[in-house]
DNA sequence: CATACTAGATAGGCTCTCTAGGTATGACGC
DNA sequence: GCGTCATACCTAGAGAGCCTATCTAGTATG
């Protein structure tokens, strides 16, 4: 899983993380892989972006961590989404769709 | 034209500016109004975001300014898109569509 | 024993946006 | 004549978020 340049648009990383973790609890490394896989290699999450984002979301109470055996190597910090996190996810999805729709309006003008 | 909170997603302002100016040369103040109007009040460009962005785009050679009478008040600095700017716009549009498509994939998962 | 993959993390820098101010012109009401 | 508003330009400083680079450490493979 080679890490290349990704150029994530600022503000969307939290949304992406909350979404994939809401579907299934995952550890950080797995979150990055999942986002990359589902987006067909378009979205590449750097570790230096990922871990600060996870700590941010944890600090805000949107994610809850739990240490577990990963089975293949070091211990894994598995995150699940809290109820507040699901609420936040809902809001961020709506904001994104509203925003992307507005940008589309301008591009179609 | 009341200015409210906008929460522009970082990295998209240059794209929006290039797009509206490519359709028709405009001065800064008019660019903000045009973006707001076309996006149906979803995208609100603050002046403190707008003018630095214009200077950035001018410095990079994507926009070319020209002072003109505005007709209603102070002089207007009317921008047009250079050939390099059009090339840049094309790339940014493609990047945005690729990006938005990838985010949509994750949100639909 | 070196390499690669997994899994976590931090430091420093950089870019971009926002808040909050400032300057100046012309039109309108009083 | 004066205040107010809309127009039109601009900057400084702060904060947020992403990236590059680097580090640690366990496990597996050749």
């Amino acid at each position: 899983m080679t890490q290349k340049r990704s150029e994530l648009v600022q503000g969307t990383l939290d949304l992406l993380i909350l979404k994939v973790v809401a579907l299934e609890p995952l550890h950080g490394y797995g979150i990055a892989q999942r986002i990359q896989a589902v987006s067909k290699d378009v979205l590449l999450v750097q570790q230096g972006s990922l871990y600060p984002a996870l700590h941010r979301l944890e600090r805000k109470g949107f994610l809850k961590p739990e240490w577990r055996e990963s089975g293949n190597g070091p211990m894994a910090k598995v995150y699940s989404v809290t109820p507040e996190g699901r609420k936040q996810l809902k809001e961020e999805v709506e904001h994104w769709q509203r925003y992307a729709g507005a940008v589309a309006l301008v591009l179609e003008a």
Side-chain angles (χ1 to χ4, degrees), chain A:
Chain A
M1 194 78 55
T2 319
Q3 295 283 356
K4 292 174 207 163
R5 189 146 313 175
S6 66
E7 293 167 38
L8 276 184
V9 172
Q10 290 206 209
T12 55
L13 182 54
D14 291 9
L15 166 65
L16 296 169
I17 291 174
L18 284 173
K19 177 66 188 181
V20 299
V21 176
L23 293 178
E24 180 188 3
L26 285 167
H27 58 276
Y29 197 81
I31 291 170
Q33 290 179 320
R34 182 67 54 89
I35 291 175
Q36 181 168 351
V38 174
S39 73
K40 292 177 179 156
D41 285 352
V42 174
L43 306 173
L44 309 179
V45 182
Q46 311 298 326
Q47 297 196 345
S49 313
L50 174 68
Y51 290 108
L54 289 173
H55 300 158
R56 194 161 65 227
L57 292 169
E58 184 184 339
R59 195 176 60 244
K60 290 180 181 170
F62 299 149
L63 289 183
K64 189 166 52 74
E66 185 188 353
W67 285 98
R68 286 192 208 156
E69 298 278 351
S70 75
N72 46 350
M75 294 287 284
K77 199 170 172 183
V78 175
Y79 289 94
S80 15
V81 180
T82 65
E84 302 83 52
R86 290 191 185 274
K87 199 178 151 212
Q88 176 70 13
L89 171 58
K90 187 161 171 284
E91 280 171 26
E92 292 206 16
V93 169
E94 282 164 9
H95 178 260
W96 169 259
Q97 285 169 347
R98 186 172 151 82
Y99 192 90
V103 172
L105 275 180
V106 175
L107 295 188
E108 287 158 15

